[in-house]
Amino acid sequence: MAELFIEQAKQYAETRPSYPQELFEFIASKTPSRDLVWDVGTGSGQAARSLAGIYKNVIGTDTSLKQLEFAPRLPNVRYQQTPPVISMGELEQTVSAQSSVDLVTIAQAMHWFDLPAFYQQVKWVLKKPHGVIAAWCYTVPEVNDSVDSVFNPFYTVDSDPYWEPQRKLVDDKYMSIDFPFEPVEGTDNTGPFKFVAEKMMDLDEYFTYIRSWSAYQTAKAKGVELLRDDVIESFKRAWIKDGHNQKVVKFPVHVKIGKVGNV
């Protein structure tokens, strides 16, 4: 998985949305203590930055050293590159001891994981019974009717052959992903619960976001340019239709959240 993001790590860091503060406040309201977070698949630290403002300490791990290079350096955040598979002993050395973590977060990454092995580690490292796991994904960007009418066939037809199969879990808003945890206080299910992330973009930034896709890089490696001249022209016509270059781009965020219980 990490190899898919090596080439576009800088683009990824620059163009991916920051997650809404409401998301983190919702998650934090479900953790009785706020001492330690393990942010798994932290990438370039989009979630770690916000978590660091709420929790005493954050450990961000990722298999991609290249992405970690672009993560924000903060006094209470420690980043650690890990191999794709780690033992419980390595988990204790690189992350934390058994039953010591208040919250495990996974932002736009859990669809890549070996879930049975990962969940075993989550249940080992979380405090019992109220330690929380929150995993979220964001689905395709929404701009306006004009731009979205160009984007939708571009995403569902042109780029579809180049996405990894795991992407379907994101398209499904994590509704079908295995999630063996108990509902947190105040909820009667584990979600997904919806939030919205927003990012101001001009057309060039919008194209840079598309070029940061793993599907774009996969297509490029196979000699296919998804952003052909005719596609770019279609996007340009749609983008300038309202007379504004800067636009609010909305990314629907879908979060699964649960507590570990007495395992």
Side-chain angles (χ1 to χ4, degrees):
M1 179 271 287
E3 294 173 359
L4 293 171
F5 296 96
I6 290 173
E7 294 299 323
Q8 73 273 30
K10 187 171 187 292
Q11 295 172 337
Y12 193 102
E14 290 174 348
T15 62
R16 295 294 158 135
S18 298
Y19 302 110
Q21 188 61 27
E22 293 82 5
L23 170 68
F24 296 102
E25 290 170 358
F26 170 71
I27 294 168
S29 73
K30 308 303 180 184
T31 58
S33 54
R34 301 181 180 183
D35 295 322
L36 181 59
V37 182
W38 177 24
D39 185 41
V40 195
T42 194
S44 44
Q46 282 91 349
R49 181 199 300 272
S50 295
L51 291 163
I54 301 173
Y55 291 85
K56 192 177 295 183
N57 291 290
V58 178
I59 300 167
T61 63
D62 204 280
T63 57
S64 172
L65 186 60
K66 188 69 173 176
Q67 285 215 79
L68 290 174
E69 289 175 5
F70 293 99
R73 268 41 195 176
L74 298 164
N76 62 332
V77 179
R78 174 170 63 86
Y79 296 108
Q80 179 74 47
Q81 183 191 22
T82 59
V85 179
I86 60 174
S87 67
M88 288 299 189
E90 290 169 322
L91 179 67
E92 184 166 17
Q93 287 181 335
T94 59
V95 179
S96 191
Q98 185 175 11
S99 303
S100 63
V101 172
D102 296 296
L103 172 66
V104 175
T105 54
I106 315 97
Q108 195 70 1
M110 198 166 72
H111 46 284
W112 300 111
F113 293 1
D114 174 352
L115 290 179
F118 175 60
Y119 287 153
Q120 185 180 2
Q121 295 178 335
V122 170
K123 290 176 179 181
W124 184 85
V125 81
L126 279 177
K127 293 178 180 177
K128 315 301 183 294
H130 298 296
V132 169
I133 174 173
W136 62 92
C137 62
Y138 56 86
T139 44
V140 294
E142 300 170 356
V143 182
N144 57 36
D145 290 344
S146 180
V147 175
D148 295 351
S149 68
V150 177
F151 176 89
N152 290 333
F154 174 75
Y155 178 74
T156 59
V157 179
D158 294 13
S159 71
D160 185 68
Y162 305 102
W163 287 107
E164 296 293 312
Q166 295 93 325
R167 177 70 189 186
K168 298 300 181 187
L169 292 169
V170 175
D171 292 334
D172 194 39
K173 306 169 186 176
Y174 277 3
M175 283 192 286
S176 61
I177 205 163
D178 180 43
F179 198 72
F181 298 93
E182 300 176 10
V184 292
E185 303 306 319
T187 67
D188 57 9
N189 62 74
T190 58
F193 301 98
K194 185 180 177 182
F195 294 82
V196 177
E198 296 185 350
K199 188 174 180 68
M200 286 295 297
M201 286 185 173
D202 59 27
L203 183 56
D204 286 341
E205 290 168 325
Y206 186 77
F207 285 147
T208 300
Y209 158 74
I210 290 173
R211 292 186 181 104
S212 77
W213 289 356
S214 60
Y216 181 88
Q217 297 298 325
T218 298
K220 189 176 179 181
K222 294 182 177 181
V224 176
E225 175 53 66
L226 288 176
L227 286 174
R228 306 182 310 269
D229 289 347
D230 62 308
V231 174
I232 286 176
E233 285 306 312
S234 295
F235 271 117
K236 281 183 178 177
R237 285 194 298 271
W239 194 272
I240 64 173
K241 200 169 184 179
D242 66 0
H244 299 289
N245 189 32
Q246 287 276 338
K247 290 180 173 45
V248 176
V249 181
K250 296 182 178 181
F251 295 83
V253 178
H254 309 275
V255 59
K256 298 278 283 187
I257 185 168
K259 63 180 180 180
V260 67
N262 290 302
V263 294

